[in-house]
């Protein structure tokens, strides 16, 4: 059986609900700790403990993104449905808990197929069987894949169904602009003749951004430090979490939040038989979260060959949802 092969040469982004063990963790973590400056890919936040912490972040009063996007999805669901048309094939990149897609499915006119793509097979199976019971007329074709790497979509896909991509949560913000363009180019090939509905976090008052990534309860700090806790659990490392501090700053020039783990002392850490040295105040770069203006994101979409059409945003200008057409 042949399928539609899609190839991305970019690192996996952060995803909610990706409770899985990454086979490359040991290799990438040790390599990142030995590079200068030290850096660990943000996808490794999302083991089971990290996914629980991320779900907590989404509920925080300071973290406006999740509730603002959900409110926008609910408020404009009928418009999305009208734009997408009847009998569509809906493809979600990094489907997670399938919470946001339900808002769309409830509004759509007889959607034909739903293809959720997620890296966690067990999790996908569980959430899909619940969805199947709720939407018995919808054909479900789950794909277990890291959607930022080469993967195969079910084949044959429905010739007459208009393909529509769905990528909520501003996960695109965890890609660099170059990675975003590469990803959007691939998506545009997959949804040719249809389009992509995508959630994008916006540039805003620095105080609001700072609070969202430095919450009063310290959940984001715990989420960041979970990388070290995960290395202790899985790689037998001996990080003392109290000897590292969470740091999140807004880099205005690059228009992104940068997260770091800062060593509070000179120290040597053992990781899987390797010794890694830290000097006092040395930082490990753990995440970038890019913030766009509506115009800068539309320009990015153009560069990727997608045609930016409608945009929805809340009154405070916190978050945006874009409809990008793929001709
Ligand atoms: C998943 N991603 C869009 C989140 C973000 O805001 O960049 C991950 C996150 N990092 C810290 N808080 C939330």
């Amino acid at each position: 059986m042949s399928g539609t092969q899609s190839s991305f040469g970019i690192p996996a982004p952060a995803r909610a609900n990706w409770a899985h063990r990454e086979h490359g963790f040991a290799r990438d973590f040790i390599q990142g700790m030995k590079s200068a400056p030290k850096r660990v890919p943000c996808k490794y936040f999302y083991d089971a403990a990290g996914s629980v912490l991320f779900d907590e972040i989404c509920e925080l009063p300071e973290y406006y993104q999740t509730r603002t996007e959900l409110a926008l999805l609910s408020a404009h669901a009928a418009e999305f449905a009208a734009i997408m048309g009847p009998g569509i094939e809906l493809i979600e990149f990094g489907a997670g808990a399938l919470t946001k897609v339900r808002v769309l499915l409830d509004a759509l006119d007889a959607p034909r197929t739903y293809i959720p793509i997620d890296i966690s097979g067990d999790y996908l199976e569980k959430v899909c069987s619940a969805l199947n019971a709720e939407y018995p007329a919808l054909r479900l074709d789950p794909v277990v894949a890291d959607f930022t790497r080469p993967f195969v979509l079910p084949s044959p896909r429905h010739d007459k169904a208009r393909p529509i991509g769905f990528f909520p949560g501003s996960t695109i913000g965890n890609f660099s602009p170059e990675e975003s363009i590469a990803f959007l180019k691939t998506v545009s090939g997959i949804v040719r003749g249809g389009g992509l509905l995508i959630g994008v976090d916006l540039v805003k008052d620095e105080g609001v951004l700072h609070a969202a990534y430095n919450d009063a309860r310290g959940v984001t700090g715990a989420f960041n430090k979970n990388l070290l806790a995960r290395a202790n659990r899985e790689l037998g490392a001996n990080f003392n979490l109290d000897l590292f501090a969470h740091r999140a700053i807004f880099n205005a020039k690059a228009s992104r939040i940068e997260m770091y783990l800062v060593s509070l002392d000179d120290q040597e850490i053992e990781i899987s038989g390797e010794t890694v040295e830290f000097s006092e105040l040395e930082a490990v770069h753990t995440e970038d979260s890019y913030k766009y203006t509506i115009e800068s994101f539309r320009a990015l979409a153009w560069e990727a060959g997608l045609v930016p059409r409608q945009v929805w945003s809340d009154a405070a200008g916190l978050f945006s949802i874009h409809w990008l057409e793929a001709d």
Side-chain angles (χ1 to χ4, degrees):
M1 189 166 86
S2 73
T4 305
Q5 184 81 28
S6 310
S7 198
F8 309 92
I10 57 179
R15 281 302 303 154
N17 298 309
W18 279 15
H20 64 285
R21 293 170 78 90
E22 274 283 344
H23 301 303
F25 179 55
R27 184 197 57 221
D28 291 351
F29 188 86
I30 294 167
Q31 199 176 301
M33 286 292 169
K34 289 182 133 185
S35 61
K38 293 181 170 61
R39 176 158 203 152
V40 179
C42 65
K43 68 175 175 177
Y44 293 117
F45 283 140
Y46 300 91
D47 66 347
S51 297
V52 169
L53 286 165
F54 182 71
D55 286 347
E56 265 184 63
I57 288 175
C58 292
E59 302 286 320
L60 288 171
E62 296 98 329
Y63 197 76
Y64 54 85
Q65 292 190 38
T66 313
R67 62 174 175 276
T68 310
E69 185 180 41
L70 260 171
L72 283 172
L73 284 171
S74 304
H76 301 289
E79 280 171 78
F80 304 145
I83 291 166
M84 292 172 182
I88 65 162
E89 174 191 67
L90 188 64
I91 304 151
E92 183 169 3
F93 301 93
L98 311 188
T99 310
K100 290 170 186 164
V101 78
R102 280 180 165 79
V103 180
L104 254 191
L105 289 173
D106 288 341
L108 283 168
D109 180 0
R112 196 178 304 171
T113 311
Y114 173 50
I115 305 178
I117 306 173
D118 205 293
I119 201 163
S120 172
D122 292 347
Y123 191 75
L124 198 56
E125 200 184 313
K126 199 174 105 195
V127 292
C128 279
S129 68
L131 197 82
N132 195 29
E134 282 170 60
Y135 301 88
L138 182 69
R139 181 183 155 144
L140 272 174
D141 274 334
V143 174
V144 180
D146 176 347
F147 65 89
T148 64
R149 301 232 167 104
F151 64 90
V152 174
L153 286 182
S155 175
R157 284 167 66 205
H158 292 266
D159 293 341
K160 293 197 185 77
R162 189 179 188 216
I164 305 289
F166 184 45
F167 193 34
S170 200
T171 301
I172 193 129
N174 298 126
F175 299 166
S176 71
E178 299 71 34
E179 291 163 351
S180 297
I181 290 169
F183 172 75
L184 291 175
K185 274 187 180 161
T186 306
V187 171
S188 91
I190 293 172
V191 300
R192 182 134 301 131
L196 175 69
L197 192 70
I198 180 168
V200 180
D201 196 18
L202 295 175
V203 187
K204 57 186 62 67
D205 176 74
E206 232 174 271
V208 175
L209 282 171
H210 188 268
Y213 292 84
N214 293 278
D215 60 284
R217 276 181 49 216
V219 183
T220 311
F223 173 73
N224 198 6
K225 286 190 186 187
N226 179 56
L227 267 179
L228 306 181
R230 182 176 178 182
N232 286 351
R233 284 190 297 269
E234 294 183 26
L235 312 179
N238 62 347
F239 285 104
N240 177 347
L241 271 51
D242 294 335
L243 289 182
F244 286 86
H246 162 72
R247 183 156 184 254
I249 52 146
F250 184 62
N251 176 339
K253 198 160 169 245
S255 197
R256 66 185 188 212
I257 287 281
E258 295 172 356
M259 288 212 317
Y260 297 94
L261 288 163
V262 181
S263 174
L264 298 178
D265 209 342
D266 291 336
Q267 46 183 324
E268 280 187 0
I269 306 293
E270 299 297 322
I271 312 165
S272 298
E274 307 244 13
T275 305
V276 177
E277 291 183 3
F278 289 83
S279 53
E280 190 178 355
L281 298 185
E282 184 177 359
V284 183
H285 194 162
T286 54
E287 187 181 58
D288 286 325
S289 189
Y290 282 83
K291 309 301 168 190
Y292 291 91
T293 62
I294 285 175
E295 295 69 30
S296 67
F297 188 75
R298 285 167 69 88
L300 193 92
W302 270 117
E303 265 195 72
L306 288 157
V307 183
R309 298 284 188 204
Q310 292 89 328
V311 188
W312 299 264
S313 142
D314 55 297
L318 296 175
F319 200 88
S320 60
I321 295 180
H322 297 244
W323 171 245
L324 311 175
E325 269 178 9
D327 297 333

